[in-house]
Protein backbone atom coordinates (compact mmCIF):
# COMPACT_ATOMS: atom_id res chain seq x y z
CA UNK A 1 0.00 0.00 0.00
CA UNK A 2 1.06 3.57 -0.62
CA UNK A 3 -0.21 6.83 0.81
CA UNK A 4 -0.49 9.82 -1.49
CA UNK A 5 -0.78 13.22 0.15
CA UNK A 6 -1.29 16.37 -1.92
CA UNK A 7 -1.89 19.94 -0.72
CA UNK A 8 -3.45 22.83 -2.60
CA UNK A 9 -3.52 26.35 -1.10
CA UNK A 10 -6.88 28.09 -0.94
CA UNK A 11 -7.12 31.82 -1.47
CA UNK A 12 -9.23 34.28 0.51
CA UNK A 13 -12.75 33.07 1.19
CA UNK A 14 -12.37 29.98 -1.03
CA UNK A 15 -12.67 27.72 2.02
CA UNK A 16 -16.48 27.85 2.05
CA UNK A 17 -16.75 27.51 -1.72
CA UNK A 18 -14.43 24.49 -1.72
CA UNK A 19 -16.25 22.86 1.19
CA UNK A 20 -19.53 23.08 -0.74
CA UNK A 21 -17.78 21.36 -3.67
CA UNK A 22 -16.24 18.54 -1.62
CA UNK A 23 -18.72 18.09 1.21
CA UNK A 24 -21.97 17.67 -0.72
CA UNK A 25 -23.15 15.23 -3.34
CA UNK A 26 -24.08 18.04 -5.72
CA UNK A 27 -20.74 19.72 -5.19
CA UNK A 28 -18.80 16.54 -5.87
CA UNK A 29 -20.89 15.97 -8.98
CA UNK A 30 -19.91 19.40 -10.28
CA UNK A 31 -16.23 18.47 -10.64
CA UNK A 32 -15.50 14.85 -9.78
CA UNK A 33 -17.98 12.75 -11.78
CA UNK A 34 -20.74 13.14 -14.31
CA UNK A 35 -23.33 11.90 -11.83
CA UNK A 36 -23.29 10.87 -8.16
CA UNK A 37 -26.16 9.19 -6.35
CA UNK A 38 -26.10 8.59 -2.58
CA UNK A 39 -28.14 5.84 -0.98
CA UNK A 40 -27.68 4.81 2.67
CA UNK A 41 -24.10 6.05 2.87
CA UNK A 42 -23.04 4.42 -0.42
CA UNK A 43 -22.22 6.81 -3.25
CA UNK A 44 -22.39 5.67 -6.87
CA UNK A 45 -20.02 7.72 -9.04
CA UNK A 46 -20.69 7.64 -12.78
CA UNK A 47 -18.47 8.79 -15.65
CA UNK A 48 -19.89 8.70 -19.15
CA UNK A 49 -22.48 6.01 -19.85
CA UNK A 50 -20.51 2.93 -18.85
CA UNK A 51 -18.11 3.61 -15.98
CA UNK A 52 -19.37 3.50 -12.39
CA UNK A 53 -17.78 2.93 -9.00
CA UNK A 54 -19.31 2.72 -5.56
CA UNK A 55 -17.79 4.26 -2.46
CA UNK A 56 -18.86 4.02 1.15
CA UNK A 57 -18.84 7.20 3.23
CA UNK A 58 -16.38 6.47 6.06
CA UNK A 59 -16.48 9.81 7.81
CA UNK A 60 -17.48 13.43 7.45
CA UNK A 61 -17.24 16.54 9.59
CA UNK A 62 -19.03 19.64 8.35
CA UNK A 63 -16.59 22.19 6.99
CA UNK A 64 -13.55 20.00 7.64
CA UNK A 65 -13.31 16.67 5.82
CA UNK A 66 -15.00 13.82 3.97
CA UNK A 67 -13.57 10.31 3.60
CA UNK A 68 -14.63 7.51 1.24
CA UNK A 69 -13.69 3.87 0.69
CA UNK A 70 -14.05 2.46 -2.83
CA UNK A 71 -16.02 -0.78 -2.42
CA UNK A 72 -14.04 -2.51 -5.18
CA UNK A 73 -10.71 -1.88 -3.38
CA UNK A 74 -9.02 -3.56 -0.42
CA UNK A 75 -10.28 -2.86 3.12
CA UNK A 76 -7.49 -0.42 4.09
CA UNK A 77 -7.87 1.87 1.09
CA UNK A 78 -9.59 5.25 1.15
CA UNK A 79 -9.51 8.78 -0.18
CA UNK A 80 -10.06 11.86 1.90
CA UNK A 81 -10.62 15.52 1.09
CA UNK A 82 -9.80 17.78 4.04
CA UNK A 83 -9.67 21.53 4.55
CA UNK A 84 -6.95 22.42 7.04
CA UNK A 85 -4.79 25.33 8.11
CA UNK A 86 -1.17 25.06 7.01
CA UNK A 87 1.22 25.03 9.97
CA UNK A 88 3.76 26.88 7.85
CA UNK A 89 1.71 29.61 6.16
CA UNK A 90 -1.41 29.72 8.41
CA UNK A 91 -3.49 29.76 5.21
CA UNK A 92 -6.24 27.27 4.40
CA UNK A 93 -5.26 24.32 2.24
CA UNK A 94 -7.17 21.50 0.61
CA UNK A 95 -5.45 18.24 1.47
CA UNK A 96 -6.09 15.14 -0.60
CA UNK A 97 -5.00 11.83 0.88
CA UNK A 98 -5.42 8.50 -0.83
CA UNK A 99 -4.26 5.11 0.35
CA UNK A 100 -4.04 2.74 -2.60
CA UNK A 101 -2.04 -0.07 -4.13
CA UNK A 102 1.63 0.74 -4.82
CA UNK A 103 1.39 0.28 -8.59
CA UNK A 104 -1.29 3.01 -8.82
CA UNK A 105 0.71 5.86 -7.28
CA UNK A 106 1.68 7.80 -10.41
CA UNK A 107 -1.71 7.31 -12.08
CA UNK A 108 -3.46 8.58 -8.94
CA UNK A 109 -1.24 11.66 -8.70
CA UNK A 110 -2.03 12.53 -12.32
CA UNK A 111 -5.74 11.87 -11.78
CA UNK A 112 -5.87 14.15 -8.72
CA UNK A 113 -3.95 16.90 -10.55
CA UNK A 114 -6.56 16.75 -13.32
CA UNK A 115 -9.42 16.71 -10.79
CA UNK A 116 -7.96 19.74 -9.00
CA UNK A 117 -7.82 21.66 -12.27
CA UNK A 118 -11.52 20.93 -12.71
CA UNK A 119 -12.31 21.86 -9.10
CA UNK A 120 -10.42 25.15 -9.51
CA UNK A 121 -12.31 25.89 -12.73
CA UNK A 122 -15.73 25.14 -11.17
CA UNK A 123 -14.89 27.12 -8.01
CA UNK A 124 -13.57 30.08 -10.00
CA UNK A 125 -10.22 29.98 -8.23
Amino acid sequence: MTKIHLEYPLVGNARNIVWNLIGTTGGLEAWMADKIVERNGVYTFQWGKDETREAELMGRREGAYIRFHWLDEGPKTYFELRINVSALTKAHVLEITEVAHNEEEEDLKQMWESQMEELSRVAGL
Side-chain angles (χ1 to χ4, degrees), residues 66-84:
I66 191 163
R67 181 186 284 197
F68 292 98
H69 164 68
W70 292 116
L71 294 178
D72 61 351
E73 294 283 334
K76 296 182 180 180
T77 62
Y78 68 88
F79 73 93
E80 179 179 276
L81 306 168
R82 178 179 293 269
I83 296 175
N84 239 334

